[in-house]
Amino acid sequence: MNAKQKKNLIRIIITAVLMLVLAYMPLSGWSRFFAYLVPYVLVGYDILYKAGKGIKNRRTFDESLLMAIATLGAIALAVYEDGDYTEAIAVMLFYQVGEWFQAYAVGRSRRDISALMDIRPDYANMEQEDGTLAQVDPDEVEIGSVIVVKPGEKIPLDGVVEEGTSSLNTVALTGEALPRDAKEGDEVLSGCININGLLKIRTTKEFDESTASKILEMVEEASSHKSKSENFIARFARVYTPIVVYAALALAVLPPLVRLLGMGMAPEWGTWIYRALTFLVISCPCALVVSIPLSFFAGIGGASRQGVLVKGSNYLEALSEVKTVVFDKTGTLTQGVFQVSAIHTDKLNEQQLLHLAAHVERFSTHPIAESLRNAFGHEADGCNVECVEEIAGYGVRAQVNGKTVCVGNAKMMESIDAKWHECDAVGTMIHVAVEGEYAGHIVISDVVKENAAAAIHALKKDGIKQTVMLTGDSARIADKVAASLKLDMVYSQLLPQDKVAKVEELLQQPATGKLAFVGDGINDAPVLSRADVGIAMGAMGSDAAIEAADIVLMDDDPLKISVARRIARKTLRIVKQNIYFSIGIKVLVLLLGALGFANMWAAIFADVGVMVLAVLNAVRAMFVPQCADIKERTVQVGSDVTVA
């Protein structure tokens, strides 16, 4: 609890105690009035102030005005009839109880979301010529500068580790509590906390383009994207509140006049004014106005605790209705990191073949060359590598210990008349020939993400009707991934514009329903924008993809899609429950109040009682299943599959 919440809780408790004491005190007349005025003012002064301010600013029709009219009217009736003051005080008291629960729930959700706000760095350490460190504004650091991050400090800008090793706390970005190791050559993101080692980082982005700034910008804009339910409630309240005020006025004036002028009976002004005041309290739309936005806010807060950034409640609402999920392959379902998955030799042993290929590709910057070097791992073994020649579209030729070694594709083998052969393994084949004779081939493959199979299974279990993969890879590779992950459909060899066309085609099919697209690359941005819900991988995804997406998975774990959808569906269930419950109770008690069967205590329940119950129900949206809980309920298949 913050200081304001504590103060309000103390007011509520003191008011309740005073009412209990006054109930046993033998007071009457004006002494009774002034005694009860103390707890009324104590618990309701801020509501009266808001009502007065609303009248002054010509924004009169809100719940504060309704509370003020109803309670002041009830007190006036109690003075006139020397009646019960407790009803008026109880209305204010229970209203404040509801407001307190709302403030607590909002505070809890805000803390979850503000955990992201803690990633904002205050400074960057720049090393001076004399070796000392100077703290500068992150905005002043240019791309390519070397910054120093000491243990316990936030990484201020995205970059690559130039020197040092450490563990990084990434919980504010990813929701993952387990620290991640960072070493020389690793990419690191702004907003992570350096735990134990000194790091020198060469920046790759300016501050405004770094991960921390992008996330903060998204969080700040999230509240502007309202759901259909929130927009409806806002419009409903603007129309509904004036109507009930005029209806209450009519209820207070018309029946007495009809009785007096039309029927010649006693007007019974006190009875009808009391009914009108009761009607006002009952009709106050607090439960709807408070609980619906709170439900979405709590859902977005719960999602942020899991490392899922939702840019607005409208996207949460749309995600709950998704029936088809379309995936990109590389970087989304697969790691996007190539590694050696098979070595098939004709004359040499596996280690010798890998040794030659790694040395020939020693100076290449191609990802496949890097995967060969990583697999071999012993570059400094004394071998003499010279006359390295890279042949565009073919491969690399070099002299290794005086022997000509060619490493490349089938076209290179054919150009030197080396008799190569096909392989059953799925992946990119790197052929090796020594002195013109075929020596074997190495298969380089991408690796399916650990949770990819579990993610597909969880989505289907949660009601997703179709899972589709779109990729630019060959049909052979795409089909193997789709089969291993049990996807419903796969479309391969697609260019970026083909992916957009395919999504358009899927959206035209009635069975598709709402469609979500999940991607990570810059070429996915157009598709992310076109889908009903765009979901981007945040850790390694491109800036364009993250900008175009509606939801960002901060740790690139596809299993979080199921977590986000469960949060969305739970939030929408809570919203609907609150709408039906609030309106149903109000309509019932309004009818009873107009007919004289409901007193102020029933009105208190219909207004603040229903609001408290709706707020408590909304709080449930903050409690969401952990990713590990979902994984335990899914069948693990295909987690070790490698694909090109």
Side-chain angles (χ1 to χ4, degrees), residues 19-42:
M19 287 184 68
L20 196 63
V21 171
L22 289 172
Y24 292 97
M25 292 183 69
L27 298 172
S28 62
W30 287 107
S31 60
R32 187 163 177 262
F33 166 74
F34 285 114
Y36 275 98
L37 195 61
V38 173
Y40 174 78
V41 172
L42 176 65

Side-chain angles (χ1 to χ4, degrees), residues 8 68 81 85 93 126 174 332 344 348 355 368-369 384 398 404 415 475 481 498 508 539 542 550:
N8 288 339
E81 300 174 351
Y85 294 94
L93 178 63
M126 297 285 289
T174 68
T332 303
H344 299 148
L348 308 174
H355 162 256
I368 286 178
N384 183 28
T404 301
S415 69
V481 177
D498 298 329
Q508 298 303 316
S542 72
D550 309 313

Side-chain angles (χ1 to χ4, degrees), residues 228-505:
K228 289 182 289 185
S229 302
E230 284 181 288
N231 287 328
F232 165 74
I233 293 302
R235 291 194 301 269
F236 174 80
R238 283 197 296 270
V239 175
Y240 169 84
T241 307
I243 288 174
V244 298
V245 170
Y246 294 130
L249 184 63
L251 187 61
V253 174
L254 294 181
L257 289 177
V258 169
R259 287 175 63 88
L260 180 65
L261 302 177
M263 303 172 66
M265 300 171 63
E268 298 183 355
W269 289 102
T271 299
W272 288 101
I273 289 174
Y274 181 82
R275 288 187 187 181
L277 294 172
T278 303
F279 183 90
L280 269 182
V281 175
I282 296 167
S283 59
C284 184
C286 304
L288 288 174
V289 172
V290 169
S291 68
I292 305 310
L294 176 60
S295 300
F296 283 108
F297 193 67
I300 291 172
S304 69
R305 291 172 64 195
Q306 300 299 317
V308 179
L309 177 60
V310 183
K311 294 185 182 179
S313 54
N314 55 330
Y315 305 125
L316 204 64
E317 187 171 38
L319 182 61
S320 71
E321 300 168 0
V322 163
K323 294 298 178 186
T324 300
V325 180
V326 180
F327 296 90
D328 174 48
K329 182 181 78 67
T330 306
T332 303
L333 293 175
T334 65
Q335 294 178 9
V337 178
F338 290 95
Q339 66 180 40
V340 172
S341 58
I343 302 174
H344 299 148
T345 65
D346 279 21
K347 295 185 176 181
L348 308 174
N349 62 41
E350 292 183 1
Q351 191 63 20
Q352 288 173 327
L353 191 72
L354 183 60
H355 162 256
L356 290 174
H359 278 308
V360 170
E361 297 276 8
R362 177 184 291 182
F363 304 107
S364 174
T365 58
H366 194 281
I368 286 178
E370 186 178 350
S371 66
L372 289 170
R373 293 194 298 270
N374 290 339
F376 180 58
H378 304 290
E379 281 191 67
D381 60 358
C383 281
N384 183 28
V385 181
E386 53 190 357
C387 301
V388 179
E389 180 187 4
E390 189 157 348
I391 305 167
Y394 286 77
V396 182
R397 178 166 52 209
Q399 296 282 330
V400 180
N401 292 335
K403 293 183 178 180
T404 301
V405 180
C406 294
V407 178
N409 56 24
K411 288 191 291 184
M412 173 168 266
M413 294 300 104
E414 289 168 359
S415 69
I416 61 172
D417 292 326
K419 296 181 180 178
W420 65 279
H421 53 81
E422 282 286 0
C423 177
D424 292 332
V426 177
T428 301
M429 290 179 62
I430 307 300
H431 301 282
V432 181
V434 181
E435 296 290 345
E437 292 189 30
Y438 191 66
H441 56 260
I442 300 168
V443 182
I444 306 294
S445 306
D446 194 359
V447 181
V448 170
K449 287 186 177 179
E450 180 186 358
N451 288 337
I456 303 300
H457 184 83
L459 286 170
K460 289 183 176 180
K461 194 174 179 181
D462 286 344
I464 293 297
K465 302 299 182 186
Q466 291 185 100
T467 53
V468 184
M469 186 175 75
L470 307 181
T471 178
D473 281 334
S474 67
R476 187 181 180 202
I477 293 168
D479 290 343
K480 182 171 183 182
V481 177
S484 69
L485 299 179
K486 299 184 178 178
L487 294 164
D488 298 313
M489 290 185 285
V490 58
Y491 299 94
S492 54
Q493 296 175 306
L494 300 176
L495 297 173
Q497 60 268 32
D498 298 329
K499 290 184 180 180
V500 176
K502 186 56 68 176
V503 166
E504 293 276 7
E505 184 184 315

Side-chain angles (χ1 to χ4, degrees), residues 76-91:
L77 283 176
V79 171
Y80 177 72
E81 300 174 351
D82 197 22
D84 190 2
Y85 294 94
T86 57
E87 289 180 342
I89 301 170
V91 170

Side-chain angles (χ1 to χ4, degrees), residues 1 9 13 54 91 101 119 147 323 379 394 437 483 496 510 592 596 602:
M1 285 190 291
L9 183 59
I13 293 170
V91 170
F101 274 113
I119 65 180
I147 58 175
K323 294 298 178 186
E379 281 191 67
Y394 286 77
E437 292 189 30
L592 294 174

